[in-house]
């Protein structure tokens, strides 16, 4: 009798533990979703860095964003903001680092959407510039999707320029899917594709997502910063390789035409203003 009641107690505990596990795991989705995270602003930039006079640009300041793609077969975090979450004190105060400022950290936004960093299957950066790598270390348990040229630069002997190696140090030991200037179908069904678009940096890449209701969306990283760069065919002053940038822009423009995708310039205030922010999502 005693053994039986112990057995029942053990069974009840196990069942409770299992259902708790089930509850904390995010619910599966039927079609892809995009969550848009807000990672602050970049203000006071000199538009001349982008080969544009101040009066040629409607909005000189940047918004900073990152995205979570949720797919029936897993998740992909694309970019990670600029200011590491460790810099926030939890009081809602604005954190300022040079030209960057933000009033909320990234991981709590991920949590509000229902995900922890340990739930994330894949992590990808558009590129290594420090306004995109702020919380890269948090995703080192995911499989990192990177172009070889980008990874080689990031972990090279002297990574120089707009770079903060400490923010992505943990990626060095991450499980990594290395691409050689190639595109990659992340979940194998063509709905989420990493597109190689080098030039801004050696292994810059963009993300093409096909949503069931909204249609296709292209997360452009820093292929462009201002819409005026696109309209006027102008490259920033600090491209790693301008010829590659021009070729990548031509490739992406052809892809936009072919798929009818919306172009989301990651730093563009006007694009960002039109989008629902996480925990709302697009599908
Ligand atoms: Zn950027």
């Amino acid at each position: 009798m005693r053994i039986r009641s112990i057995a029942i107690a053990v069974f009840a505990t196990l069942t409770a533990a299992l259902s708790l596990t089930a509850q904390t795991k995010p619910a599966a989705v039927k079609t892809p979703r995009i969550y848009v995270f807000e990672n602050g602003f970049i203000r006071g930039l000199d538009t001349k860095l982008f080969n544009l006079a101040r009066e040629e640009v409607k909005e000189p300041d940047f918004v900073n964003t990152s995205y979570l793609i949720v797919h029936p077969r897993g998740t992909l975090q694309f970019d990670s903001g600029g200011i590491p979450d460790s810099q926030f004190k939890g009081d809602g105060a604005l954190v300022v680092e040079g030209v960057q400022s933000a009033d909320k950290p990234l991981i709590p936004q991920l949590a509000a959407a229902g995900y922890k960093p340990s739930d994330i299957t894949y992590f990808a950066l558009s590129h290594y510039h420090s306004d995109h790598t702020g919380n890269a270390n948090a995703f080192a348990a995911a499989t990192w999707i990177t172009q070889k040229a980008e990874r080689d630069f990031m972990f090279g002997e002297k990574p120089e320029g707009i770079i903060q190696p400490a923010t992505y140090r943990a990626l060095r030991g991450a499980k990594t899917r290395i691409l050689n200037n190639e595109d990659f179908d992340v979940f194998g069904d063509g709905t989420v594709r990493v597109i190689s678009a080098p030039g801004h940096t050696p292994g810059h890449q963009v993300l093409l997502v096909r949503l069931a209701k909204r249609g296709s969306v292209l997360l452009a990283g820093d292929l462009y910063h201002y819409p005026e760069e696109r309209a006027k065919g102008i490259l920033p002053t600090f491209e790693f390789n301008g010829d590659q940038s021009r070729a990548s822009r031509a490739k992406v423009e052809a892809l936009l035409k072919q798929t009818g995708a919306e172009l989301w310039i990651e730093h563009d205030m006007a694009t960002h203003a039109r989008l629902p922010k996480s925990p709302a999502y697009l599908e």
Side-chain angles (χ1 to χ4, degrees):
M1 195 62 197
R2 180 118 188 274
I3 287 169
R4 191 164 170 258
S5 64
I6 289 170
I8 289 168
V10 168
F11 180 74
T13 309
L14 270 177
T15 312
L18 284 171
S19 72
L20 194 67
T21 310
Q23 277 166 16
T24 53
K25 211 171 167 217
V29 301
K30 290 202 170 70
T31 60
R33 292 178 181 177
I34 302 179
Y35 291 86
V36 178
F37 299 129
E38 303 186 273
N39 303 119
F41 298 92
I42 301 175
R43 300 189 196 275
L45 283 171
D46 185 351
T47 59
K48 290 196 193 77
L49 270 173
F50 301 87
N51 279 319
L52 288 159
R54 170 63 193 88
E55 58 274 17
E56 289 182 281
V57 172
K58 195 170 165 201
E59 170 57 72
D61 291 344
F62 290 174
V63 69
N64 206 356
T65 50
S66 60
Y67 311 90
L68 173 68
I69 318 302
V70 179
H71 182 279
R73 291 178 201 154
T75 49
L76 163 65
Q77 173 73 30
F78 190 66
D79 284 339
S80 63
I83 300 179
D85 279 14
S86 57
Q87 303 300 310
F88 293 82
K89 294 190 176 70
D91 55 3
L94 189 73
V95 178
V96 180
E97 275 193 0
V99 291
Q100 297 195 70
S101 59
D103 62 3
K104 51 184 165 186
L106 173 61
I107 304 305
Q109 295 182 63
L110 189 68
Y115 298 86
K116 304 184 291 293
S118 57
D119 296 322
I120 305 306
T121 324
Y122 294 103
F123 176 63
L125 291 165
S126 59
H127 63 301
Y128 67 72
H129 285 164
S130 57
D131 52 316
H132 300 259
T133 62
N135 292 289
N137 285 333
F139 300 99
T143 296
W144 179 32
I145 303 172
T146 181
Q147 303 292 332
K148 183 177 184 298
E150 194 80 353
R151 190 185 185 284
D152 286 351
F153 185 90
M154 291 166 74
F155 292 108
E157 279 195 7
K158 256 199 196 163
E160 286 173 334
I162 313 164
I163 195 162
Q164 292 287 349
T167 60
Y168 61 74
R169 193 165 29 208
L171 293 179
R172 185 169 207 143
K175 192 175 159 201
T176 306
R177 172 75 202 213
I178 292 183
L179 307 173
N180 289 294
N181 304 317
E182 59 193 324
D183 303 341
F184 179 58
D185 181 355
V186 180
F187 298 104
D189 65 352
T191 57
V192 182
R193 287 161 61 201
V194 169
I195 307 293
S196 168
H200 187 56
T201 61
H204 181 272
Q205 50 191 10
V206 302
L207 194 70
L208 183 62
V209 183
R210 196 165 74 224
L211 299 173
K213 290 184 188 158
R214 176 101 174 189
S216 291
V217 170
L218 190 123
L219 312 186
D222 287 6
L223 185 74
Y224 305 104
H225 304 76
Y226 295 117
E228 290 87 349
E229 282 170 50
R230 186 185 184 208
K232 294 172 187 268
I234 284 171
L235 292 176
T237 55
F238 55 101
E239 298 298 90
F240 166 73
N241 183 322
D243 289 339
Q244 282 186 350
S245 298
R246 270 184 278 274
S248 292
R249 285 181 176 189
K251 173 184 172 178
V252 170
E253 291 296 340
L255 203 55
L256 291 171
K257 227 174 196 175
Q258 184 197 322
T259 58
E262 290 174 48
L263 173 69
W264 292 3
I265 298 175
E266 211 166 306
H267 290 309
D268 179 40
M269 292 262 201
T271 299
H272 188 68
R274 287 195 300 269
L275 303 177
K277 314 303 181 304
S278 180
Y281 56 84
L282 289 132
E283 62 182 338

